Amino acid sequence: MSIRVDVLVIGAGLVGAATAWHCARAGATVLVADAAHANAGASGQNAGSLHFQIERRFLENGERLAEDASRITALSRLAIDDWDGLEMALDADLHVRREGGLMVAELPEELALLETKVVREQEAGLRTRLIDGDEARRIAPYLSPDIIAAAFLPDEGHADPRAVTPAFLRAARMLGAEVAYDAPVQAIRKRQRFEVELSGETVIADRIMIAAGAWSPRIAALANLHLPLFPVGLTMNATERVAPIVPHLVQHVGRRLSLKQTHAGNILIGGGWPSRLRLGADGAFDPGLRPDPLPASRDGNFRAAIATVPAIADMNLLRSWTGVTAISADQLPIVGEMQRMPGLFVAAGGSAFTLGPTFARLAARQMLEWDRAEADEELAIIAPARFEHLNGFMG
Ligand SMILES: Cc1cc2nc3c(=O)[nH]c(=O)nc-3n(C[C@H](O)[C@H](O)[C@H](O)COP(=O)(O)OP(=O)(O)OC[C@H]3O[C@@H](n4cnc5c(N)ncnc54)[C@H](O)[C@@H]3O)c2cc1C
């Protein structure tokens, strides 16, 4: 049997679901195919932070990366606006809470990092401001007396990852999009149109969006293309439910730490602590296997949380889990059309809980040739074209 659509979206995580919604809104016929189910990947495992400040992972890797990161701050500005109206547009409670985010510093060298970072962000139009430890504790009395400064961005916060993807899919379906679960994409052929084999079915599509997170390179390989994205195993921790104490998103510029309190009362603690990726039968990292937890990550993460918010010392750790996200060869996301194969698009990598709605909105415009020049310009820094040299002999 074969199905004919304007757009086939591969992956029903946040990015795929949001892409389907934007395309369906614009009147396209859309099929979303997922090998498993909605939120089966990172979109169902993540911390739900809406962080628009330049991330610590860029700052800890030298000037060049920090410079690149400040160039994508323009996308963070767009993402702030995209999250603003999302609950209303999707008619859903996503538990979006945006009371501001603090990236804190304890040491003079950390303060220096914050100073440079805040200048970069302000130049890019973010409302971040540098505050001293006393002002930080006035805003966030739960912070440790050891905090000497913070970068405060009033737009930051968090949302519920378990609510966001289903809400996008629901809204897309109401506009006519179809969703197929347990439907792994197994082959991609490009003739006049794309012919894509799902289990037992052929989909004929004008455009394809690869939104398969850490699996995206495997999908690109089906089209004989390289996509330099790598799986990364991370660790998350959650405390028991406690009375409201932390209304903000809290990050640390010198330690791996991000924390927030969910609407249910648990404190979610993460911030980039590793877990150990598992290998599949072919000997390669398999993003479909939950990574093994590393006790040192759990303990280090908890220690960083207590050093920043001492009240956490009295809370019980309820649960730890691991998840897999995707990181590109230059740490920036990859969003846009593959030059070697017009009509084949990708949106993967980076912090795509925060930025995913924006990637999806702009990529949908590219796919449907709607205000395309503007979308091309906004996505230029993260376009796949920067890795085109890898595909010189491919496609
Ligand atoms: C522990 C953790 C914490 C994180 N915290 C944050 C955070 O606080 N803030 C933030 O902004 N980002 C965070 N991230 C990153 C964020 O979760 C991801 O960037 C985002 O969820 C990626 O969404 P996605 O839709 O691109 O991919 P995914 O959610 O990974 O979805 C990919 C989908 O593709 C499907 N798929 C795979 N193979 C096939 C196939 N052959 N055919 C069809 N479908 C297929 C999978 O089943 C899956 O459902 C975190 C990630 C992790 C792991």
Side-chain angles (χ1 to χ4, degrees):
M1 205 178 112
S2 76
I3 307 168
R4 161 99 177 77
V5 287
D6 297 326
V7 177
L8 170 67
V9 177
I10 303 174
L14 186 156
V15 175
T19 305
W21 179 59
H22 281 290
C23 290
R25 264 180 126 187
T29 52
V30 182
L31 172 67
V32 184
D34 197 287
H37 51 83
N39 261 359
S43 300
Q45 301 159 348
N46 71 63
S49 306
L50 299 176
H51 48 68
F52 305 108
Q53 300 190 42
I54 295 172
E55 292 174 60
R56 179 182 178 277
R57 69 188 166 101
F58 289 110
L59 302 172
E60 71 184 351
N61 282 309
E63 259 309 286
R64 200 186 57 75
L65 266 186
E67 185 58 43
D68 283 352
S70 57
R71 289 166 67 206
I72 63 161
T73 308
L75 286 166
S76 299
R77 239 183 27 235
L78 298 179
I80 289 172
D81 294 342
D82 283 325
W83 275 97
D84 268 348
L86 202 54
E87 287 186 304
M88 200 185 285
L90 297 178
D91 191 21
D93 185 357
L94 309 177
H95 300 291
V96 176
R97 184 155 189 199
R98 287 166 69 187
E99 310 238 352
L102 298 121
M103 191 178 287
V104 302
E106 282 172 276
L107 304 171
E109 56 270 30
E110 293 172 355
L111 171 57
L113 274 180
L114 280 189
E115 283 168 346
T116 331
K117 184 184 82 70
V118 167
V119 170
R120 285 200 157 111
E121 287 165 353
Q122 288 175 344
E123 281 169 1
L126 289 190
R127 302 194 290 158
T128 330
R129 65 192 174 88
L130 191 63
I131 55 179
D132 65 19
D134 289 339
E135 189 176 353
R137 273 177 294 278
R138 266 198 299 280
I139 295 172
Y142 52 82
L143 286 176
S144 155
D146 295 338
I147 300 304
I148 60 168
F152 181 64
L153 178 56
D155 303 292
E156 288 190 316
H158 52 93
D160 182 354
R162 285 172 302 184
V164 179
T165 305
F168 271 120
L169 287 171
R170 206 163 33 244
R173 276 180 152 141
M174 284 175 71
L175 294 167
E178 302 273 346
V179 183
Y181 295 134
D182 298 317
V185 167
Q186 290 163 334
I188 299 178
R189 289 182 297 276
K190 174 95 197 259
R191 301 228 160 88
Q192 224 178 348
R193 299 196 161 88
F194 289 98
E195 293 177 11
V196 179
E197 298 299 333
L198 306 181
S199 33
E201 266 176 326
T202 305
V203 180
I204 315 285
D206 292 327
R207 303 266 187 275
I208 295 179
M209 163 56 81
I210 302 177
W215 290 268
S216 298
R218 297 179 181 209
I219 311 288
L222 296 176
N224 197 38
L225 291 171
H226 291 301
L227 197 59
L229 274 167
F230 306 92
V232 173
L234 295 177
T235 302
M236 285 297 309
N237 296 299
T239 71
E240 62 187 326
R241 294 178 183 190
V242 292
I245 166 175
V246 181
H248 310 104
L249 172 68
V250 179
Q251 301 183 83
H252 200 301
V253 71
R255 297 176 187 255
R256 290 188 181 191
L257 178 69
S258 93
L259 65 85
K260 84 275 311 173
Q261 188 163 17
T262 66
H263 63 281
N266 314 81
I267 310 266
L268 284 193
I269 308 170
W273 287 83
S275 53
R276 190 179 168 83
L277 287 171
R278 287 166 60 195
L279 304 180
D282 60 358
F285 289 132
D286 187 341
L289 301 173
R290 278 290 176 126
D292 291 324
L294 298 173
S297 282
R298 182 198 56 214
D299 297 349
N301 199 185
F302 218 54
R303 266 199 306 276
I306 291 168
T308 308
V309 180
I312 290 176
D314 296 326
M315 298 176 195
N316 290 308
L317 179 63
L318 193 68
R319 188 162 96 85
S320 296
W321 70 94
T322 62
V324 180
T325 193
I327 196 158
S328 74
D330 64 3
Q331 291 228 33
L332 300 180
I334 306 181
V335 183
E337 192 168 20
M338 301 290 286
Q339 280 187 348
R340 284 270 138 185
M341 198 164 285
L344 183 67
F345 291 75
V346 62
S351 290
F353 185 71
T354 304
L355 298 175
T358 306
F359 295 163
R361 179 173 61 78
L362 296 173
R365 284 190 180 188
Q366 291 182 318
M367 281 192 287
L368 303 177
E369 303 287 344
W370 168 41
D371 286 345
R372 172 146 192 181
E374 199 186 321
D376 283 350
E377 198 180 314
E378 279 162 340
L379 291 173
I381 173 136
I382 54 171
R386 69 191 192 276
F387 297 119
E388 179 57 18
H389 55 283
L390 297 174
N391 283 316
F393 300 98
M394 312 294 283

